[in-house]
Amino acid sequence: MELGNKIKELRVKNNLTLEELASRCELTKGFLSQLERDLTSPSISTLEDILEALGTTLAEFFQTKQDEQLVFTNDDHFVDEREGYTVSWIVPNALKNEMEPIILDIKPKQSSFIMEPHEGEEFGYVLEGRVILVYGDQTITVRKGQNFYIRGDKEHYLKNEGSYSAKVLWISTPPLF
C-alpha cells in the first residue's frame, strides 16, 4: 500500500496545504512532503496524529473498499411471483441506496400492490402494454413508451385492464418496495 499517496489524497480532499497539515500535526513540511512521496515512513503514533488531523482513523484509513458493482444482469435479479403480478428487483440490496428500481409485470385484469402515502417520489416507464395509474382520486392511462412521475403523497397503484400483461420499470425514492 502506498501510504504517501493515500495521505496526499486525504490532504487534498480536505483542502489543506502541506504547511497547514504540518502545523496541525506538529510535524515539519519537509517530513510530510517525503511521506507523501513514500520516501519515509511514519511511526504508528505519528500516523495516528496525521490521520486525526485529516478527520479519519487508522481503521478507516486501512479499510479496503470492495469495488461497487455498477452493472447488473438477469442473474442478479430477485423475482417474487405474487398473485396478479410479478416483482423483479433488478438492483440487489437497493434498500441501502437512495432509490429502488423494480420491474413490475402485471397480469391481465390485475392490479399492483397499493403504495401508501410516503415522503418521496416515484417514476414509472411502461415497457409493454398499458396501465392505469390510480393516484389518489385520479385515474390516468399510461401506454407503452410513456412514463409517469409522481410524489408519494397520495395512495397509488397500477391496474392492467388489458388482455395482455403489462410491464413497468418503477423507481421509488426512498426505497419502498
Side-chain angles (χ1 to χ4, degrees):
M1 169 183 248
E2 295 179 3
L3 289 178
N5 190 44
K6 197 165 179 181
I7 289 171
K8 183 177 182 178
E9 285 177 9
L10 283 171
R11 178 179 60 79
V12 170
K13 182 180 170 187
N14 284 291
N15 295 316
L16 294 173
T17 65
L18 273 172
E19 285 182 71
E20 291 169 329
L21 181 58
S23 174
R24 290 181 184 196
C25 302
E26 299 179 355
L27 298 168
T28 67
K29 178 181 169 185
F31 175 77
L32 285 177
S33 175
Q34 288 182 347
L35 179 61
E36 285 186 357
R37 292 179 288 144
D38 288 315
L39 299 176
T40 189
S41 298
S43 67
I44 296 295
S45 170
T46 300
L47 183 57
E48 282 181 313
D49 291 343
I50 294 168
L51 295 177
E52 183 180 340
L54 292 170
T56 191
T57 65
L58 278 172
E60 291 171 345
F61 183 76
F62 286 107
Q63 184 178 28
T64 56
K65 290 183 181 177
Q66 290 183 340
D67 288 338
E68 188 175 344
Q69 186 175 356
L70 301 176
V71 176
F72 304 94
T73 66
N74 285 340
D75 293 337
D76 297 312
H77 297 186
F78 172 75
V79 178
D80 185 7
E81 298 271 345
R82 299 184 184 181
E83 189 174 326
Y85 60 91
T86 301
V87 179
S88 297
W89 280 271
I90 57 178
V91 175
N93 301 315
L95 285 174
K96 65 180 174 38
N97 299 330
E98 295 291 321
M99 62 182 167
E100 182 178 28
I102 64 168
I103 293 180
L104 184 62
D105 192 340
I106 308 171
K107 295 176 183 160
K109 311 295 183 206
Q110 299 293 318
S111 298
S112 72
F113 44 87
I114 295 174
M115 297 288 288
E116 297 296 327
H118 63 86
E119 297 285 325
E121 300 173 322
E122 296 178 37
F123 168 84
Y125 180 82
V126 180
L127 299 166
E128 295 176 12
R130 70 176 170 181
V131 294
I132 306 295
L133 168 63
V134 179
Y135 180 66
D137 58 2
Q138 298 179 53
T139 57
I140 305 156
T141 300
V142 188
R143 292 176 172 76
K144 178 181 177 179
Q146 294 181 327
N147 60 69
F148 60 87
Y149 189 98
I150 59 174
R151 289 187 312 276
D153 60 346
K154 298 177 183 173
E155 183 178 276
H156 54 281
Y157 64 96
L158 299 176
K159 293 192 302 189
N160 178 2
E161 294 181 345
S163 303
Y164 302 97
S165 286
K167 195 176 282 190
V168 178
L169 170 65
W170 197 348
I171 301 169
S172 174
T173 180
L176 296 168
F177 299 117

